[in-house]
PDB file of all heavy atoms in Angstrom:
ATOM      1  N   LEU B 136     109.629 159.534 105.267  1.00  0.00           N
ATOM      2  CA  LEU B 136     109.743 158.402 106.155  1.00  0.00           C
ATOM      3  C   LEU B 136     108.424 157.981 106.707  1.00  0.00           C
ATOM      4  O   LEU B 136     107.618 158.810 107.166  1.00  0.00           O
ATOM      5  CB  LEU B 136     110.641 158.726 107.326  1.00  0.00           C
ATOM      6  CG  LEU B 136     112.108 159.052 107.022  1.00  0.00           C
ATOM      7  CD1 LEU B 136     112.833 159.693 108.276  1.00  0.00           C
ATOM      8  CD2 LEU B 136     112.898 157.881 106.619  1.00  0.00           C
ATOM      9  N   LEU B 137     108.071 156.726 106.624  1.00  0.00           N
ATOM     10  CA  LEU B 137     106.832 156.239 107.151  1.00  0.00           C
ATOM     11  C   LEU B 137     107.035 154.734 107.541  1.00  0.00           C
ATOM     12  O   LEU B 137     107.975 154.082 107.052  1.00  0.00           O
ATOM     13  CB  LEU B 137     105.668 156.417 106.244  1.00  0.00           C
ATOM     14  CG  LEU B 137     105.566 155.567 104.965  1.00  0.00           C
ATOM     15  CD1 LEU B 137     104.162 155.839 104.307  1.00  0.00           C
ATOM     16  CD2 LEU B 137     106.635 155.836 103.971  1.00  0.00           C
ATOM     17  N   GLY B 138     106.229 154.240 108.378  1.00  0.00           N
ATOM     18  CA  GLY B 138     106.303 152.825 108.802  1.00  0.00           C
ATOM     19  C   GLY B 138     106.117 151.906 107.612  1.00  0.00           C
ATOM     20  O   GLY B 138     105.451 152.240 106.629  1.00  0.00           O
ATOM     21  N   ARG B 139     106.589 150.705 107.779  1.00  0.00           N
ATOM     22  CA  ARG B 139     106.489 149.706 106.668  1.00  0.00           C
ATOM     23  C   ARG B 139     105.070 149.315 106.408  1.00  0.00           C
ATOM     24  O   ARG B 139     104.722 148.878 105.315  1.00  0.00           O
ATOM     25  CB  ARG B 139     107.335 148.518 106.898  1.00  0.00           C
ATOM     26  CG  ARG B 139     106.878 147.683 108.073  1.00  0.00           C
ATOM     27  CD  ARG B 139     107.757 146.491 108.282  1.00  0.00           C
ATOM     28  NE  ARG B 139     107.394 145.310 107.583  1.00  0.00           N
ATOM     29  CZ  ARG B 139     107.880 144.092 107.735  1.00  0.00           C
ATOM     30  NH1 ARG B 139     108.913 143.942 108.591  1.00  0.00           N
ATOM     31  NH2 ARG B 139     107.496 143.058 107.072  1.00  0.00           N
ATOM     32  N   GLU B 140     104.182 149.497 107.394  1.00  0.00           N
ATOM     33  CA  GLU B 140     102.760 149.361 107.172  1.00  0.00           C
ATOM     34  C   GLU B 140     102.147 150.637 107.681  1.00  0.00           C
ATOM     35  O   GLU B 140     102.416 151.091 108.775  1.00  0.00           O
ATOM     36  CB  GLU B 140     102.155 148.190 107.977  1.00  0.00           C
ATOM     37  CG  GLU B 140     102.710 146.841 107.502  1.00  0.00           C
ATOM     38  CD  GLU B 140     102.353 145.741 108.438  1.00  0.00           C
ATOM     39  OE1 GLU B 140     101.642 145.972 109.444  1.00  0.00           O
ATOM     40  OE2 GLU B 140     102.645 144.576 108.107  1.00  0.00           O
ATOM     41  N   PHE B 141     101.363 151.313 106.837  1.00  0.00           N
ATOM     42  CA  PHE B 141     100.764 152.600 107.185  1.00  0.00           C
ATOM     43  C   PHE B 141      99.416 152.358 107.870  1.00  0.00           C
ATOM     44  O   PHE B 141      98.357 152.531 107.298  1.00  0.00           O
ATOM     45  CB  PHE B 141     100.631 153.529 105.994  1.00  0.00           C
ATOM     46  CG  PHE B 141     100.343 154.957 106.413  1.00  0.00           C
ATOM     47  CD1 PHE B 141     101.375 155.720 106.938  1.00  0.00           C
ATOM     48  CD2 PHE B 141      99.156 155.528 106.234  1.00  0.00           C
ATOM     49  CE1 PHE B 141     101.141 157.043 107.298  1.00  0.00           C
ATOM     50  CE2 PHE B 141      98.840 156.828 106.635  1.00  0.00           C
ATOM     51  CZ  PHE B 141      99.841 157.566 107.226  1.00  0.00           C
ATOM     52  N   GLY B 142      99.523 151.949 109.108  1.00  0.00           N
ATOM     53  CA  GLY B 142      98.239 151.757 109.894  1.00  0.00           C
ATOM     54  C   GLY B 142      97.624 150.379 109.823  1.00  0.00           C
ATOM     55  O   GLY B 142      98.125 149.434 109.091  1.00  0.00           O
ATOM     56  N   ASP B 143      96.518 150.210 110.450  1.00  0.00           N
ATOM     57  CA  ASP B 143      95.852 148.877 110.575  1.00  0.00           C
ATOM     58  C   ASP B 143      95.328 148.357 109.331  1.00  0.00           C
ATOM     59  O   ASP B 143      95.123 147.170 109.166  1.00  0.00           O
ATOM     60  CB  ASP B 143      94.679 149.010 111.633  1.00  0.00           C
ATOM     61  CG  ASP B 143      95.194 149.001 113.039  1.00  0.00           C
ATOM     62  OD1 ASP B 143      96.170 148.302 113.360  1.00  0.00           O
ATOM     63  OD2 ASP B 143      94.702 149.788 113.868  1.00  0.00           O
ATOM     64  N   PHE B 144      94.979 149.193 108.328  1.00  0.00           N
ATOM     65  CA  PHE B 144      94.355 148.808 107.121  1.00  0.00           C
ATOM     66  C   PHE B 144      95.414 148.527 106.021  1.00  0.00           C
ATOM     67  O   PHE B 144      95.072 148.085 104.923  1.00  0.00           O
ATOM     68  CB  PHE B 144      93.355 149.812 106.569  1.00  0.00           C
ATOM     69  CG  PHE B 144      92.040 149.706 107.282  1.00  0.00           C
ATOM     70  CD1 PHE B 144      91.674 150.679 108.176  1.00  0.00           C
ATOM     71  CD2 PHE B 144      91.156 148.660 107.057  1.00  0.00           C
ATOM     72  CE1 PHE B 144      90.416 150.637 108.845  1.00  0.00           C
ATOM     73  CE2 PHE B 144      89.919 148.608 107.652  1.00  0.00           C
ATOM     74  CZ  PHE B 144      89.591 149.586 108.597  1.00  0.00           C
ATOM     75  N   ASP B 145      96.670 148.843 106.340  1.00  0.00           N
ATOM     76  CA  ASP B 145      97.683 148.630 105.317  1.00  0.00           C
ATOM     77  C   ASP B 145      98.572 147.372 105.643  1.00  0.00           C
ATOM     78  O   ASP B 145      98.782 147.100 106.753  1.00  0.00           O
ATOM     79  CB  ASP B 145      98.624 149.829 105.199  1.00  0.00           C
ATOM     80  CG  ASP B 145      99.654 149.731 104.123  1.00  0.00           C
ATOM     81  OD1 ASP B 145      99.300 149.185 103.026  1.00  0.00           O
ATOM     82  OD2 ASP B 145     100.808 150.149 104.343  1.00  0.00           O
ATOM     83  N   ASP B 146      99.032 146.696 104.590  1.00  0.00           N
ATOM     84  CA  ASP B 146      99.997 145.675 104.779  1.00  0.00           C
ATOM     85  C   ASP B 146     101.206 145.817 103.920  1.00  0.00           C
ATOM     86  O   ASP B 146     101.801 144.879 103.424  1.00  0.00           O
ATOM     87  CB  ASP B 146      99.328 144.280 104.541  1.00  0.00           C
ATOM     88  CG  ASP B 146      98.363 144.324 103.397  1.00  0.00           C
ATOM     89  OD1 ASP B 146      98.589 145.130 102.462  1.00  0.00           O
ATOM     90  OD2 ASP B 146      97.297 143.580 103.445  1.00  0.00           O
ATOM     91  N   GLY B 147     101.622 147.024 103.738  1.00  0.00           N
ATOM     92  CA  GLY B 147     102.879 147.340 103.101  1.00  0.00           C
ATOM     93  C   GLY B 147     102.757 147.922 101.710  1.00  0.00           C
ATOM     94  O   GLY B 147     103.767 148.165 101.090  1.00  0.00           O
ATOM     95  N   LEU B 148     101.597 148.277 101.237  1.00  0.00           N
ATOM     96  CA  LEU B 148     101.435 148.804  99.853  1.00  0.00           C
ATOM     97  C   LEU B 148     101.280 150.313  99.822  1.00  0.00           C
ATOM     98  O   LEU B 148     101.521 150.932  98.731  1.00  0.00           O
ATOM     99  CB  LEU B 148     100.311 148.091  99.209  1.00  0.00           C
ATOM    100  CG  LEU B 148     100.329 146.618  99.006  1.00  0.00           C
ATOM    101  CD1 LEU B 148      99.251 146.074  98.109  1.00  0.00           C
ATOM    102  CD2 LEU B 148     101.708 146.202  98.434  1.00  0.00           C
ATOM    103  N   VAL B 149     100.921 150.922 100.898  1.00  0.00           N
ATOM    104  CA  VAL B 149     100.802 152.412 100.905  1.00  0.00           C
ATOM    105  C   VAL B 149     102.247 153.049 100.652  1.00  0.00           C
ATOM    106  O   VAL B 149     102.336 153.946  99.757  1.00  0.00           O
ATOM    107  CB  VAL B 149     100.161 152.971 102.217  1.00  0.00           C
ATOM    108  CG1 VAL B 149     100.296 154.464 102.312  1.00  0.00           C
ATOM    109  CG2 VAL B 149      98.678 152.551 102.168  1.00  0.00           C
ATOM    110  N   PRO B 150     103.268 152.603 101.342  1.00  0.00           N
ATOM    111  CA  PRO B 150     104.561 153.297 101.079  1.00  0.00           C
ATOM    112  C   PRO B 150     105.087 153.161  99.679  1.00  0.00           C
ATOM    113  O   PRO B 150     105.479 154.162  99.029  1.00  0.00           O
ATOM    114  CB  PRO B 150     105.555 152.501 102.054  1.00  0.00           C
ATOM    115  CG  PRO B 150     104.622 152.029 103.151  1.00  0.00           C
ATOM    116  CD  PRO B 150     103.341 151.711 102.469  1.00  0.00           C
ATOM    117  N   SER B 151     104.923 151.987  99.110  1.00  0.00           N
ATOM    118  CA  SER B 151     105.445 151.837  97.709  1.00  0.00           C
ATOM    119  C   SER B 151     104.619 152.581  96.734  1.00  0.00           C
ATOM    120  O   SER B 151     105.080 153.153  95.758  1.00  0.00           O
ATOM    121  CB  SER B 151     105.551 150.333  97.370  1.00  0.00           C
ATOM    122  OG  SER B 151     104.301 149.731  97.509  1.00  0.00           O
ATOM    123  N   THR B 152     103.299 152.600  96.950  1.00  0.00           N
ATOM    124  CA  THR B 152     102.433 153.394  96.072  1.00  0.00           C
ATOM    125  C   THR B 152     102.750 154.858  96.157  1.00  0.00           C
ATOM    126  O   THR B 152     102.770 155.593  95.163  1.00  0.00           O
ATOM    127  CB  THR B 152     100.960 153.151  96.342  1.00  0.00           C
ATOM    128  OG1 THR B 152     100.716 151.715  96.380  1.00  0.00           O
ATOM    129  CG2 THR B 152     100.052 153.803  95.335  1.00  0.00           C
ATOM    130  N   LEU B 153     102.931 155.345  97.347  1.00  0.00           N
ATOM    131  CA  LEU B 153     103.308 156.735  97.573  1.00  0.00           C
ATOM    132  C   LEU B 153     104.577 157.151  96.798  1.00  0.00           C
ATOM    133  O   LEU B 153     104.642 158.144  96.113  1.00  0.00           O
ATOM    134  CB  LEU B 153     103.420 157.039  99.080  1.00  0.00           C
ATOM    135  CG  LEU B 153     103.820 158.474  99.454  1.00  0.00           C
ATOM    136  CD1 LEU B 153     102.684 159.457  99.050  1.00  0.00           C
ATOM    137  CD2 LEU B 153     104.032 158.576 100.976  1.00  0.00           C
ATOM    138  N   ALA B 154     105.611 156.244  96.876  1.00  0.00           N
ATOM    139  CA  ALA B 154     106.814 156.533  96.162  1.00  0.00           C
ATOM    140  C   ALA B 154     106.537 156.665  94.654  1.00  0.00           C
ATOM    141  O   ALA B 154     107.027 157.534  93.972  1.00  0.00           O
ATOM    142  CB  ALA B 154     107.850 155.411  96.416  1.00  0.00           C
ATOM    143  N   GLY B 155     105.736 155.783  94.153  1.00  0.00           N
ATOM    144  CA  GLY B 155     105.398 155.779  92.736  1.00  0.00           C
ATOM    145  C   GLY B 155     104.692 157.115  92.382  1.00  0.00           C
ATOM    146  O   GLY B 155     104.912 157.729  91.295  1.00  0.00           O
TER     147      GLY B 155
END
Side-chain angles (χ1 to χ4, degrees):
Chain B
L136 295 166
L137 71 173
R139 65 183 271 188
E140 294 171 357
F141 193 74
D143 282 320
F144 282 105
D145 183 39
D146 37 32
L148 299 187
V149 168
S151 55
T152 306
L153 178 62

